[in-house]
Amino acid sequence: MRPAAASFPRVTAILFVGDIVASAGRRTLKALLPGLREELGLDFVVANGENAAGGIGITPKHADELFAAGVDVITLGNHTYRHREVWPYLDEQPFIVRPANFMRTQPGHGTCVFERDGASLGVVNLSGNLFMQAATPAFSTVDDALREVAGADHVLVDMHAEATSEKVAMGWFLDGRVTAVVGTHTHVPTADARVLPGGTAYITDVGMTGARGGVIGVRREQSIAVMRTHMPMRYDSSDEDPWLMAVVIRSAPGSRPSLAASIEPVLRPASSATNDSGRNQTR
Ligand SMILES: [Fe+2]
Ligand SMILES: [Fe+2]
């Protein structure tokens, strides 16, 4: 009898892109994603978009731009409601999520399930509670949120938090229950990507997709001036030395939701885009 090789579940590759900051971040994503899709054999792309519009928040136009660039699901964070025009969009568009532990009365939803070619990816967005404004503790909300994506083939949790301790704890809390827990918000990538013993891929912070020549996305001379003078100043987004910062998670087939076989950082300068796509898309 022929082995039914075709029916074996295959490895799935999920790219998670750290906070996309302003036009430099959007341009970098557009320049690099087509090449990464081919190079890494990507099945799903999730990106944090909370800084996509001018460095703070997101608008429907910029969310549509990210979807058109190949992002399947957008996650958000503490800057979710900065632009009023996105409020109704968050209710209407199923594949943009804001932290599940915001208030029920706030626009949007905290989970979604995206499907492609018969496979499904559940995405849960959470906000940390230390130094962040969230209605309920992430740890008491996450079980309900996971019930909303129950049955998905893969589940990814974006834990948007300031404190490393909260993110590490969430990784351990969900180890063995989801495919991946990825941290966002600090814009600085951490060196602790690993698959935890229970099989959940984990990283404390993925980093940002934006200008590395600034201070977490802001023009560095402005940021330094504010820190030196303690006086308010206008902040503009930096354009200098843009990078894409992401992780690629590969699933280990055999359970639902899948557990992870690997998680690897993907840290690339915009200048590494192939000449053709770089020249055409980074202007
Ligand atoms: Fe951010
Ligand atoms: Fe944030």
Side-chain angles (χ1 to χ4, degrees), residues 221-235:
E221 65 274 21
Q222 295 175 340
S223 180
I224 291 168
V226 168
M227 292 181 193
R228 288 186 69 217
T229 64
H230 292 198
M231 293 301 289
M233 181 179 284
R234 175 196 163 94
Y235 277 150

Side-chain angles (χ1 to χ4, degrees), residues 25-48:
R26 302 194 311 271
R27 281 199 306 272
T28 303
L29 177 86
K30 283 190 271 187
L32 291 180
L33 190 53
L36 289 175
R37 186 180 293 284
E38 199 168 323
E39 175 190 332
L40 302 173
L42 300 176
D43 297 285
F44 297 104
V45 177
V46 182
N48 187 294

Side-chain angles (χ1 to χ4, degrees), residues 19 50-51 77-79 132 160 184-185 187:
D19 303 31
E50 73 144 5
N51 306 98
N78 50 304
H79 295 307
M132 310 281 280
H160 193 82
T184 55
H185 176 69
H187 293 197

